[in-house]
Amino acid sequence: MRGGFPVATYDDLSGPEQALVAVLRRWPDEAREAGNGIGPVLRAWMAPAAAMRCRQALEAVLGILARHGRRKLVRHRPNCSCVGADEAVFAHLVMTAATGEREDAMLIGSLMVDGPLLLPLVDAARTAGLVLCRADLAGRRDRSGHAGATVH
């Protein structure tokens, strides 16, 4: 069960982290089942242009991990309420890169790939994470009717 050991529940994750886990769980199915891949997951979160940009960045991250990862990432089934260790680390890598903690993201990435691939991995993760964070903020603004908290 290495890598698949449950470390959290899906509901414990932030919105962008939930999207990342959902993407990871569906990514290998992209080529086989067009309606069950990562496109619909991302389009549910954001506008089509942003979803395309995020998809391209995530495909770069997942492609590097699939081709050059130290081992295959373990995933739970798409509707599972558990979050496995590999899924949590993947989401943490992307969100850490998105928040500008590049060195920390590279440290996490070094557990997944060899040194020469760290920069492309972290750069693509940063792009994907930033698009997801922007979509999450826009969604919160749309739901609340305003962009930030009111002081008075």
Side-chain angles (χ1 to χ4, degrees), residues 3-140:
F5 188 80
V7 296
T9 63
Y10 192 75
D11 292 337
D12 291 337
L13 302 177
S14 70
E17 291 168 327
Q18 287 179 349
L20 289 165
V21 169
V23 163
L24 178 61
R25 290 177 178 181
R26 288 170 178 82
W27 183 71
D29 298 329
E30 183 73 19
R32 292 191 304 267
E33 302 174 35
N36 196 29
I38 67 174
V41 172
L42 295 174
R43 284 190 298 276
W45 265 86
M46 59 192 79
M52 179 58 79
R53 232 174 75 218
C54 189
R55 180 180 177 162
Q56 290 169 341
L58 285 170
E59 284 176 345
V61 172
L62 292 166
I64 290 169
L65 292 173
R67 287 186 304 276
H68 305 289
R70 295 187 188 278
R71 65 175 174 78
K72 185 177 177 182
L73 296 180
V74 177
R75 304 168 296 131
H76 286 236
R77 293 197 170 136
N79 294 326
C80 183
S81 62
C82 295
V83 176
D86 284 355
E87 295 168 330
V89 169
F90 169 73
H92 190 60
L93 166 70
V94 174
M95 297 313 297
T96 300
T99 59
E101 301 294 331
R102 188 175 188 157
E103 291 80 14
D104 287 349
M106 290 181 68
L107 181 62
I108 296 165
S110 71
L111 300 172
M112 305 169 98
V113 298
D114 288 329
L117 296 165
L118 284 174
L119 285 176
L121 178 74
V122 170
D123 286 346
R126 181 177 183 274
T127 299
L130 286 172
V131 174
L132 277 167
C133 288
R134 286 183 192 127
D136 186 48
L137 287 172
R140 282 192 238 166

